[in-house]
């Protein structure tokens, strides 16, 4: 089992819809969770981070964390074609400087 | 404010050649990281440096060496390049040296390395 798992996609949603991206992790002691967006040929850029159970909202983005079930999700409301990218989930474990990344989910927003 | 700067942006090497990838950050961050990204593999940690003067192996360290020259600079060296090291290499920096920091990493633009 991979430490951080994401569905590789592509996930296709129509413009204006809600895109839901999911990530599961294996280390129950993981502390911090990050969502990065990566456009083709570019470097990852931070979208959201969360470390407490529940929801965290920032504009059109909502991160949801459920530590009991060991999953973290990212919701993108009112999806735009410019949201088309690969979304990387990253998890920071306890007592470590390491970040473990999932393989990413490719999102395609159809105009 | 440039953030994290990587040089070069592109490089083509022949098998067996050596090369050093440079990374510098101007954010006064403590921790620095080197990743490689291959299609379908996500970002894999090669080495990291929690603070100036310390380095530790990540997930895929074989064939690489690193130097944390000072707080700003963290270089990655390929002593004898192999085709399997063809990849995109990203350097990242992180503000804190605390174990339980919730702060994110900030990435450079990447170095695209091809080994023939």
């Amino acid at each position: 089992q991979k430490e951080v798992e994401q569905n590789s996609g592509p996930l296709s949603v129509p413009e204006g819809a809600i895109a839901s991206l999911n990530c599961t992790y294996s280390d129950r002691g993981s502390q911090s969770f990050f969502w990065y967006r990566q456009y083709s040929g570019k470097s990852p850029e931070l979208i959201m981070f969360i470390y407490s159970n529940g929801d965290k909202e920032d504009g059109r983005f909502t991160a949801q964390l459920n530590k009991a079930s060991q999953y973290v999700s990212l919701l993108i409301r009112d999806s735009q074609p410019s949201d088309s990218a690969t979304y990387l989930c990253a998890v920071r474990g306890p007592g470590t400087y390491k970040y473990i990344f999932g393989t990413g989910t490719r999102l395609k927003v159809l105009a | 404010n440039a953030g994290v700067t990587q040089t070069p942006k592109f490089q083509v090497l022949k098998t067996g050649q050596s090369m050093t990838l440079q990374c510098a950050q101007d954010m006064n961050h403590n921790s620095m990281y080197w990743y490689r990204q291959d299609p379908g593999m996500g970002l894999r940690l090669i080495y990291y440096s929690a603070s100036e003067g310390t380095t530790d192996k990540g997930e895929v360290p074989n064939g690489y060496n690193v130097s944390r020259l000072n707080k700003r600079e963290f270089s990655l060296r390929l002593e004898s390049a192999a085709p399997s090291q063809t990849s995109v290499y990203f350097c990242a920096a992180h503000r804190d040296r605390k174990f339980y920091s919730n702060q994110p990493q900030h990435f450079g633009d990447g170095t695209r390395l091809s080994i023939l």
Side-chain angles (χ1 to χ4, degrees):
Chain A
Q1 180 190 8
K2 293 182 181 177
E3 293 183 74
V4 178
E5 294 205 52
Q6 296 180 256
N7 188 318
S8 61
L11 172 66
S12 296
V13 300
E15 183 176 358
I18 296 175
S20 177
L21 305 163
N22 298 311
C23 171
T24 60
Y25 59 94
S26 60
D27 189 337
R28 188 170 287 278
S30 297
Q31 300 280 336
S32 311
F33 309 86
F34 306 87
W35 283 101
Y36 286 84
R37 177 176 63 198
Q38 187 175 27
Y39 292 113
S40 181
K42 301 295 185 182
S43 61
E45 56 178 324
L46 181 71
I47 298 295
M48 299 271 304
F49 68 92
I50 187 168
Y51 47 86
S52 299
N53 270 332
D55 296 358
K56 180 181 179 182
E57 187 175 315
D58 184 1
R60 294 188 297 114
F61 299 96
T62 298
Q64 299 175 317
L65 174 61
N66 185 323
K67 288 189 176 181
S69 300
Q70 294 176 242
Y71 81 81
V72 57
S73 62
L74 179 70
L75 301 178
I76 306 175
R77 290 182 299 281
D78 188 22
S79 295
Q80 301 297 310
S82 58
D83 294 325
S84 297
T86 296
Y87 289 80
L88 301 169
C89 173
V91 175
R92 178 163 169 158
T96 177
Y97 294 98
K98 297 182 188 179
Y99 294 73
I100 307 298
F101 283 80
T103 54
T105 298
R106 191 156 64 97
L107 174 66
K108 299 173 85 171
V109 180
L110 308 172
Chain B
N1 187 347
V4 180
T5 302
Q6 292 183 235
T7 55
K9 295 192 184 307
F10 303 92
Q11 185 70 49
V12 179
L13 294 177
K14 294 181 179 179
T15 297
Q17 287 185 315
S18 62
M19 163 140 201
T20 299
L21 308 185
Q22 306 287 354
C23 176
Q25 52 99 2
D26 62 4
M27 299 178 289
N28 201 35
H29 283 12
N30 287 293
S31 305
M32 297 184 74
Y33 304 75
W34 275 106
Y35 293 91
R36 59 178 290 174
Q37 186 174 37
D38 303 293
M41 299 292 288
L43 285 161
R44 292 185 293 169
L45 181 64
I46 305 172
Y47 271 93
Y48 67 101
S49 171
S51 61
E52 184 180 351
T54 66
T55 61
D56 286 284
K57 294 178 180 179
E59 183 184 354
V60 287
N62 291 344
Y64 305 96
N65 285 302
V66 290
S67 295
R68 182 75 183 268
L69 305 170
N70 47 55
K71 191 172 184 179
R72 290 187 65 246
E73 299 171 290
F74 189 38
S75 61
L76 178 71
R77 183 162 178 83
L78 286 70
E79 291 291 352
S80 179
S84 61
Q85 293 177 304
T86 293
S87 188
V88 179
Y89 291 84
F90 288 103
C91 177
H94 176 273
R95 190 185 75 187
D96 294 328
R97 52 163 46 129
K98 292 183 297 183
F99 251 13
Y100 294 100
S101 170
N102 294 316
Q103 294 300 310
Q105 296 179 314
H106 299 277
F107 287 84
D109 290 338
T111 294
R112 282 145 186 83
L113 183 61
S114 292
I115 299 162
L116 307 176

